[in-house]
Amino acid sequence: WRAPRWTFAVLLAALGVMGPLSVDGYLPAFSGISQTLGATPVQMQQTLSAYLFSFGVMCLFHGALSDSLGRRLMILWGLAIFTLASVGCAMSQSIAQLIFFRALQGVSTGACIVISRAIPRDMFSHGDAQRIMSLITIIFAGSAALAPFVGGWVFVWLGWRSIFWLMVIFGGALWVTSFRLLPETLHHSHRQPFEVGNLLRGYLSLGRDPRVLMLAIAVGVPFSGTFIYITSAQIFLGKHLGLAPTQFFWLFVCNGIGILSGAWVSGRIAGQLAPKRQIRHGFVIMVCAAAVNLLANFVF
């Protein structure tokens, strides 16, 4: 990578932005999609569930595929499939079609998000990689807060299909940029053959390791809380709080500021505080915040 380091982080962050753009960006348009396609609230939730399920399953394989085929090739294929799936979403004439193309989006988005997090570890030592990841997370958090704002206004001005056409433009632009600028970061000597049997046995072995399980839970608990909120956001924000589509972003901004602040602090203390202690402090803050939230909901 010959350009300044921050531009490298921006490209990797943009690959990660596909996640919040695909999830948060179309939430304000749920009511419009439901009216156009004649979908029930449950069917609208399934457009999100299909995305998250395919995203989660394929994340088990994207890393191994990139270890075999290379990071660059997998990202280019992921971006191409995401762009085509976004075209399908924009042109869907039924809720079944939309659910199918949303699942296809989930399959492809995972490749870009997972591999964009592996690339810094290919290129930098632990401390530098953590600093790059912190910068990526800061940009990611900002985009997660911005996505519902953009999606809400695009929906109001141009209709819900324009949100997916925006994803087409974004995916196509990232494909061209990655094709021209992104180098292959996995050295040929580090490549491994892709064998599903070995991969599944490896996951089984990892699943028996208490330390790996605890690390997975440490990541999974915050993300599960985030996605429980996201999947219920349309009903919670639109129905119970009565917010207009252009107002959805306010509560996502709060979440984004929290993620951004944590990423900034993590980058500042990288190499100074043991990762296990950082995780412990994060959970203490999380438990306190959840307790205050529960109390506020109970009282008000």
Side-chain angles (χ1 to χ4, degrees), residues 256-281:
I257 290 174
I259 296 173
L260 189 149
S261 302
W264 181 81
V265 172
S266 174
R268 296 284 293 180
I269 63 178
Q272 303 176 29
L273 192 66
K276 188 165 72 172
R277 290 188 63 191
Q278 293 185 43
I279 293 171
R280 187 183 302 127
H281 293 336

Side-chain angles (χ1 to χ4, degrees), residues 225-299:
T226 300
F227 281 112
I228 287 171
Y229 173 72
I230 288 173
T231 52
S232 61
Q234 195 276 332
I235 293 175
F236 174 57
L237 302 179
K239 181 178 178 181
H240 295 300
L241 297 186
L243 297 180
T246 53
Q247 296 174 311
F248 273 34
F249 80 98
W250 283 113
L251 285 176
F252 285 91
V253 164
C254 298
N255 195 29
I257 290 174
I259 296 173
L260 189 149
S261 302
W264 181 81
V265 172
S266 174
R268 296 284 293 180
I269 63 178
Q272 303 176 29
L273 192 66
K276 188 165 72 172
R277 290 188 63 191
Q278 293 185 43
I279 293 171
R280 187 183 302 127
H281 293 336
F283 272 106
V284 169
I285 295 170
M286 206 180 305
V287 169
C288 292
V292 171
N293 207 353
L294 282 172
L295 181 63
N297 278 275
F298 179 76
V299 173

Side-chain angles (χ1 to χ4, degrees), residues 12-179:
L12 295 184
L15 293 170
V17 164
M18 292 170 60
L21 179 64
S22 302
V23 175
D24 303 345
Y26 89 121
L27 287 179
F30 262 38
S31 59
I33 298 173
S34 177
Q35 291 174 7
T36 302
L37 301 183
T40 65
V42 172
Q43 289 174 321
M44 288 305 304
Q45 294 282 33
Q46 288 172 350
T47 65
L48 191 54
S49 298
Y51 173 92
L52 294 175
F53 181 78
S54 60
F55 173 87
V57 170
M58 284 306 298
C59 280
L60 297 172
F61 300 96
H62 288 314
L65 285 168
S66 72
D67 286 341
S68 176
L69 303 176
R71 314 290 195 219
R72 187 174 185 272
L73 181 63
M74 284 297 298
I75 284 179
L76 290 176
W77 270 108
L79 287 169
I81 295 172
F82 173 83
T83 304
L84 292 174
S86 299
V87 172
C89 291
M91 299 181 68
S92 294
Q93 300 301 313
S94 68
I95 190 63
Q97 292 177 7
L98 182 60
I99 290 172
F100 171 78
F101 286 114
R102 286 288 294 164
L104 197 58
Q105 275 190 324
V107 168
S108 55
T109 304
C112 298
I113 293 177
V114 169
I115 298 168
S116 68
R117 281 156 173 71
I119 288 175
R121 299 303 298 269
D122 292 338
M123 300 178 66
F124 302 104
S125 63
H126 178 74
D128 286 338
Q130 184 173 344
R131 292 184 185 93
I132 287 288
M133 285 303 302
S134 296
L135 181 56
I136 291 172
T137 306
I138 288 172
I139 300 172
F140 176 87
S143 68
L146 193 62
F149 173 77
V150 174
W153 280 108
V154 169
F155 168 57
V156 170
W157 288 340
L158 302 172
W160 67 266
R161 296 185 189 275
S162 298
I163 297 174
F164 292 107
W165 286 119
L166 182 63
M167 295 182 194
V168 172
I169 295 171
F170 186 74
L174 270 183
W175 190 93
V176 173
T177 304
S178 298
F179 181 79

